Amino acid sequence: DLNEVQDRDYNYLLATDDNGWLVGGGEPGPPRSYKLAAADSAHVEIMRIGTYDREWGGITVEDILTVLRSGTILIPQIEVLPTAVVANWNEPPELEIRFDMEPSVPNFDDCTAPLPE
């Protein structure tokens, strides 16, 4: 629940722009908030495809859609932990919360240890 991660009471952040929080239900808008009313508009990148050009080692859009529609790839529930908060390069900057997968058996003694398979 991203509402547990956000600082909706502004205890640690001074303010947000008109967009307000983009997750956790967005902003309610007037009269509960002066922010623009908006539903969730945040996104999470699940996978990144480098190129669609087979000559460069990529895969075509058609091949991706065929496999996804086949039902043979299932994306399981992924548990994540917030690991960083950064201001991006937008003007004005947007605050981004970065997440990493939660290992099933974390190795707190060796931060370079690989994640469990």
Side-chain angles (χ1 to χ4, degrees):
D1 183 354
L2 291 174
N3 283 309
E4 294 180 19
V5 177
Q6 296 174 123
D7 182 26
R8 285 200 181 259
D9 293 329
Y10 297 97
N11 293 318
Y12 304 99
L13 295 177
L14 179 62
T16 59
D17 67 4
D18 289 347
N19 293 313
W21 296 106
L22 302 181
V23 294
E27 291 289 343
R32 291 185 42 217
S33 169
Y34 67 90
K35 306 287 182 180
L36 299 172
D40 286 353
S41 60
H43 65 277
V44 174
E45 183 177 273
I46 295 175
M47 71 177 180
R48 179 176 294 188
I49 300 169
T51 178
Y52 296 118
D53 189 336
R54 282 185 181 267
E55 292 178 15
W56 293 357
I59 187 168
T60 66
V61 173
E62 293 78 20
D63 288 344
I64 293 169
L65 294 174
T66 299
V67 171
L68 290 175
R69 289 180 180 136
S70 74
T72 58
I73 294 180
L74 303 175
I75 300 172
Q77 175 177 324
I78 300 171
E79 296 185 12
V80 295
L81 294 170
T83 55
V85 177
V86 297
N88 67 19
W89 295 102
N90 291 2
E91 189 61 44
E94 296 172 334
L95 192 62
E96 296 180 356
I97 302 173
R98 306 263 169 94
F99 293 88
D100 285 317
M101 289 180 16
E102 181 177 358
S104 58
V105 181
N107 185 342
F108 295 116
D109 297 323
D110 181 7
C111 63
T112 63
L115 293 173
E117 294 184 25

